[in-house]
Amino acid sequence: MNWLPPPERFRERLAAVDRADPGAAAALARLADTRLGFLETLQLDRALARLPAGGLEPVRVALLASGTVEHLLPPLRVAGLRRGLRIEAHAGAYGQYRQELLDPGGLGAFAPDAVVLALAARDFLGAVPLDAPAGVADAAVAAAVADLGALWERARGLGATVIQQTFLDLEPPLFGGLDAVVPGAPARLVARLNAALADAAGGAGVLVLDAARAAARDGPDAWHDPVRWLQAKMEIAPQAAAAWGELAARLIAAARGRSRKCLVLDLDNTLWGGVIGDDGIAGIVLGQGSGVGEAHLGLQAYARRLKERGVILAVCSKNDPAIAEAAFRDHPEMLLKRADFAAFAANWEDKAANLQAIARSLNIGLDALVFVDDNPVERARVREALPQVAVPELPADPALYVRTIAEAGYFEAVAFTAEDRARAGQYAANLERASLAATAGGMEDFLGALGMTVEFGPVNALNLARVTQLINKTNQFNTTTIRRTEAEVAAIAADPDGLALQFRLVDKFGDNGIVSVMLLEPSGDALELVNWVMSCRVFGRQLEEEALNILAEAARARGASAIRAGFVPTEKNGVVADLFPRLGFAPAGEGRWTLPLAAHASRPTRIARKEAA
Amino acid sequence: MSETAILARLTEILRDVLEDPGVELGMQTTRPEVPRWDSFAYITFIVGVETEFGIKFPLAQVESFQTVGDIVREIRTLKG
């Protein structure tokens, strides 16, 4: 947990939190954002328990396990707090995970949003003999995965996101190197089981909590303590509980759209060694020829990989803008190019102000930013001014930069979609669209010049992953902020009396991908719009008008009398507070709106239509 | 570190674990005498003590501590 800064005056600050104060949750979250010890985690967890509801997003998490897991709950709740979540946790009884899932009376009443399965390999593979031939060993692994699949189905039946922990290899070496080769060797069986469960999880929409990888990295001794195992049947050692809680909370937060979206990088002594304003382009340390130069290049390479998976890149540096731009243009070893950055703030302004400007220009929240800077003064300044921004505690040695940023898990993902792959280019295209807006005269001319087409169609298996991701990641244009699992979305889409539409926006600069989703459930002779989300990338493009035109026609064809909708305000969805009246809905009680279809006329927009085959 | 100093530190740790500033420990104190010091709180306390003192109690000791004094003496042994 090296990316977290050490806590300062922990006891004093904890004691000063006034639980009646509306800022209490934020104050506790700031304490959670530090490197806490075992007892400090416990104290913070207790303070969180005393806090009245509000200010944090509630999530209910059931942890079902082969072993004792009570000690994992405080770090899980604290790691949730770190991400703005208030986790209510239920620990299954020791070894009772099957009974709890098969007879889910108590578990059903708890109504978990997420079920975490932390199981022991011996429960699944313990009966495989050491001399089993390859076929028998493979069949045992396949049977174990089928068994897991049945447990996942049960958990999903509770309406929960399912999170499967990989199996820890706790067996002592038996043959030595041959443990990886002999089909019936426990180490090989566990490795095979983990590989097979990952394949199955991908298809089943189950999230993988890769404890085995973390334990392989930290060392088995860090994750499993034979004394605690024999004393209390704790499979995961209390010393590893903080790391475990962090991994679990990351997945839970990612499934709820709370992962960060943008990596903001400082330049001098971060993306390269030295100060370019003083040393000149030829004087900075970057690339082949020195270990330090390769370390900085390594950070550039990692940032580029993140961009490939959909993370937005930005620059925030105190520098002369012309000199900074020239470095990206002219330095022969520079891996990142100016065009890789969706926002570029090189100037002498305060970095906190620049970060706010970056978030605004990208239309994302401050809580979507990660700010990487080698300078501890700048880090402290940003943490103080903008606690929503994640600021990793970068080590002094650039050789360790990548590891520190990577291990912080800021960009935890639950899916990798075509939209993710295309995103970086889309943001760059947005900058071109913005410059077109600056040159074009009126708004209508600008929209006309974009040459927009909306491609729309039903939600189906082909787009289910992206549709679910959009529902769960979108915070601004989100009318109800009801989060959905893939299974729930699929159920609404499959309802012949409901309606589930997805919209893709294409313009002259490129394909924005699927950018809006509407889910409707039957409600008497009307349809209830239970989810409507739209990506912030396409705000102000008349897509909400055209999407409603399409919906109204589809609903009318279905024989519906009206579309009903509710608006549930959150901290972040102010942009749609007046959406329904703006679109012609009539008020129907507190936060309720209705659009009678008999009287409704479509509004013309500058968007052409194309219906999916 | 003296027995008194270790005892004082153990008292602070147990107060944190049980969230009870009224906890008072003596060398002769046993677990049942302290309200809410159940088996789970005992493990938490042991882990807290191990972390604070940078030591690891052997399994046999963890299972056989009778009094707080036993723990204090074991810490002195382990700290050499």
Side-chain angles (χ1 to χ4, degrees):
Chain A
M1 314 276 279
N2 292 333
W3 62 90
L4 296 172
E8 283 170 28
R9 301 179 292 112
F10 175 80
R11 275 173 189 273
E12 192 188 319
R13 285 165 66 193
L14 185 62
V17 175
D18 174 3
R19 74 177 107 142
D21 181 345
L28 292 184
R30 295 188 70 168
L31 284 172
D33 243 334
T34 59
R35 202 185 309 154
L36 298 176
F38 180 80
L39 289 172
E40 290 162 338
T41 300
L42 216 57
Q43 288 170 300
L44 183 54
D45 180 48
R46 297 250 183 70
L48 178 63
R50 286 192 298 265
L51 205 65
L56 297 166
E57 182 186 346
V59 196
R60 305 168 72 79
V61 180
L63 172 54
L64 306 183
S66 305
T68 302
V69 288
E70 273 83 359
H71 63 299
L72 301 178
L73 302 185
L76 172 65
R77 288 185 290 250
V78 167
L81 175 61
R82 202 171 285 143
R83 288 167 179 73
L85 298 176
R86 182 164 192 162
I87 293 178
E88 186 175 336
H90 161 90
Y94 168 72
Q96 296 293 301
Y97 58 94
R98 276 182 201 281
Q99 293 85 329
E100 295 208 43
L101 282 173
L102 292 174
D103 176 24
L107 203 55
F110 177 70
D113 298 305
V115 170
V116 183
L117 292 164
L119 311 177
R122 68 177 172 282
D123 288 8
F124 292 83
L125 298 169
V128 181
L130 192 56
D131 61 355
V136 171
D138 288 349
V141 168
V145 171
D147 192 4
L148 284 176
L151 296 176
W152 296 345
E153 272 309 304
R154 285 280 175 177
R156 211 201 305 275
L158 301 170
T161 298
V162 184
I163 300 176
Q164 174 68 51
Q165 181 180 308
T166 51
F167 292 89
L168 295 178
D169 175 14
L170 302 174
E171 295 288 333
L174 195 56
F175 296 102
L178 208 55
D179 283 337
V181 180
V182 172
R188 182 181 160 102
L189 286 170
V190 171
R192 285 287 170 119
L193 177 55
N194 282 335
L197 94 77
D199 288 345
V206 166
L207 307 183
V208 175
L209 195 174
D210 204 349
R213 187 180 183 190
R217 191 190 57 221
D218 300 343
D221 292 353
W223 275 71
H224 182 79
D225 176 350
V227 176
R228 295 287 100 83
W229 168 249
L230 293 167
Q231 180 194 5
K233 293 290 174 279
M234 292 176 176
E235 184 160 42
I236 292 173
Q239 278 78 4
W244 183 90
E246 172 70 18
L247 291 183
R250 263 178 213 171
L251 286 169
I252 294 163
R256 309 180 84 77
R258 287 183 168 267
S259 288
R260 297 194 182 250
K261 296 172 182 163
C262 176
L263 179 67
V264 188
L265 295 152
D266 170 49
L267 298 178
D268 292 332
N269 286 316
T270 301
L271 274 194
W272 54 70
V275 176
I276 196 155
D278 297 337
D279 305 334
I281 285 189
I284 59 172
V285 182
L286 179 69
Q288 312 301 327
S290 88
V292 171
E294 287 184 47
H296 289 288
L297 200 59
L299 177 58
Q300 295 202 8
Y302 187 66
R304 203 167 68 167
R305 297 291 278 174
L306 287 175
K307 183 183 169 227
E308 283 168 16
R309 50 148 289 200
V311 173
I312 309 162
L313 301 184
V315 160
C316 178
S317 163
K318 286 189 175 157
N319 247 311
D320 181 286
I323 295 176
E325 299 240 3
F328 286 97
R329 193 180 55 234
D330 299 335
H331 196 289
E333 299 265 16
M334 196 72 67
L335 201 54
L336 291 171
K337 300 299 174 201
R338 174 63 184 82
D340 288 318
F341 299 101
F344 197 93
N347 55 45
W348 302 101
E349 304 295 315
D350 173 45
K351 289 204 176 181
N354 272 329
L355 287 164
Q356 286 176 306
I358 287 169
R360 259 197 315 275
S361 77
L362 298 173
N363 216 353
I364 57 180
L366 283 167
D367 60 3
L369 302 185
V370 174
F371 175 54
V372 174
D373 195 319
D374 66 294
N375 183 336
V377 177
E378 298 287 7
R379 294 199 297 262
R381 156 76 188 140
V382 170
R383 284 190 193 118
E384 180 59 37
L386 307 173
Q388 310 94 314
V389 175
V391 185
E393 191 65 0
L394 224 51
D397 188 346
L400 305 176
Y401 283 179
V402 169
R403 180 195 293 185
T404 305
I405 296 164
E407 289 188 353
Y410 295 123
F411 306 107
E412 184 82 29
V414 295
F416 184 38
T417 63
E419 275 71 15
D420 290 327
R421 287 188 274 272
R423 178 167 309 114
Q426 288 161 356
Y427 272 94
N430 251 359
L431 294 180
E432 291 179 49
R433 290 182 190 103
S435 65
L436 178 64
T439 52
M443 194 61 194
E444 283 292 319
D445 292 343
F446 162 63
L447 292 175
L450 277 174
M452 295 181 288
T453 300
V454 59
E455 297 180 14
F456 64 98
V459 172
N460 57 34
L462 293 178
N463 52 44
L464 182 62
R466 167 60 183 165
V467 161
T468 308
Q469 182 191 48
L470 193 63
I471 289 170
N472 291 325
K473 276 179 78 162
T474 305
N475 296 313
Q476 299 184 80
F477 192 116
N478 193 332
T479 56
T480 58
T481 316
I482 297 172
R483 308 302 190 184
R484 306 266 181 204
T485 62
E486 278 192 17
E488 289 168 352
V489 175
I492 293 172
D495 183 348
D497 297 323
L499 203 51
L501 294 171
Q502 47 84 17
F503 304 87
R504 169 187 291 273
L505 189 65
V506 181
D507 64 32
K508 65 185 261 189
F509 293 106
D511 182 351
N512 292 278
I514 295 175
V515 289
S516 185
V517 176
M518 290 171 156
L519 299 182
L520 296 101
E521 289 178 338
S523 168
D525 62 351
L527 283 165
E528 171 81 21
L529 183 60
V530 289
N531 282 88
W532 187 9
V533 297
M534 189 178 294
S535 163
C536 54
R537 290 202 303 270
V538 296
F539 285 6
R541 307 268 292 269
Q542 296 184 333
L543 183 60
E544 54 268 48
E545 282 88 353
E546 195 55 36
L548 183 68
N549 290 342
I550 291 167
L551 170 64
E553 288 170 27
R556 202 178 273 137
R558 193 63 64 82
S561 66
I563 296 164
R564 299 198 186 112
F567 169 68
V568 183
T570 69
E571 261 178 41
K572 294 187 173 170
N573 70 355
V575 67
V576 287
D578 67 343
L579 175 71
F580 292 118
R582 191 156 61 78
L583 292 177
F585 282 67
E590 182 68 23
R592 299 284 308 159
W593 301 89
T594 182
L595 186 74
L597 289 169
H600 175 70
S602 283
R603 295 182 179 182
T605 71
R606 308 300 295 258
I607 306 176
R609 283 193 206 180
K610 187 176 160 193
E611 186 163 4
Chain B
M1 209 174 177
S2 71
E3 287 193 354
T4 322
I6 293 174
L7 186 63
R9 191 71 199 98
L10 295 191
T11 307
E12 285 171 29
I13 293 170
L14 191 59
R15 285 173 180 171
D16 279 352
V17 168
L18 298 179
E19 214 181 14
D20 177 0
V23 167
E24 291 296 344
L25 295 180
M27 293 295 276
Q28 298 308 316
T29 308
T30 61
R31 205 143 61 76
E33 295 168 25
V34 181
R36 297 192 299 119
W37 198 3
D38 57 21
S39 59
F40 183 67
Y42 174 65
I43 296 173
T44 307
F45 170 75
I46 289 292
V47 174
V49 171
E50 290 184 340
T51 313
E52 286 291 300
F53 286 89
I55 54 170
K56 189 91 188 107
F57 295 117
L59 176 60
Q61 311 299 333
V62 172
E63 290 190 317
S64 66
F65 289 137
Q66 294 298 318
T67 65
V68 171
D70 293 342
I71 301 175
V72 171
R73 283 184 289 275
E74 181 65 23
I75 291 172
R76 293 197 74 187
T77 309
L78 290 172
K79 292 298 274 184

